[in-house]
Amino acid sequence: MNVSHSYDVARSKIETGDLVAVKGKTGFLTPFTRFFTRSDYTHVGTAFWLDDGLWLAEINNGANHATPLSQYADCDFDVFIPPNDVKMARLP
């Protein structure tokens, strides 16, 4: 599945382990990231569900952290499913 819809539509289709590639719109480093990576994506992370919350595990500014995916609701993003041999479990 490659989802490229609004956050509200995509949220219900995203599963734990899906790769979320964000196309950030703001931030000082955004144009530099796009220039040097030659990509529209500014960062990526792995989606995971925790209770009823959808989170993104990512590295930003050199640190690991989890961000509610809703914080990227105003950004365009694409969602990719992991390869079949990658096993993920939904967290309680």
Side-chain angles (χ1 to χ4, degrees):
M1 166 183 66
N2 178 349
V3 178
S4 188
H5 300 288
S6 70
Y7 169 77
D8 293 331
V9 172
R11 185 180 193 276
S12 65
K13 299 177 183 180
I14 297 171
E15 295 289 331
T16 292
D18 287 350
L19 178 68
V20 179
V22 179
K23 298 176 182 179
K25 298 178 182 178
T26 61
F28 174 75
L29 294 177
T30 297
F32 297 104
T33 301
R34 287 190 173 149
F35 176 79
F36 287 109
T37 63
R38 295 187 175 146
S39 172
D40 290 335
Y41 300 119
T42 54
H43 57 285
V44 298
T46 303
F48 68 95
W49 286 93
L50 183 60
D51 296 324
D52 290 330
L54 180 57
W55 295 79
L56 190 65
E58 59 183 344
I59 297 175
N60 202 348
N61 296 326
N64 299 327
H65 63 277
T67 304
L69 190 57
S70 61
Q71 287 191 9
Y72 299 112
D74 65 338
C75 296
D76 293 332
F77 58 87
D78 293 319
V79 180
F80 303 92
I81 59 171
N84 289 334
D85 58 345
V86 174
K87 305 292 184 208
M88 297 298 225
R90 186 172 176 146
L91 300 174

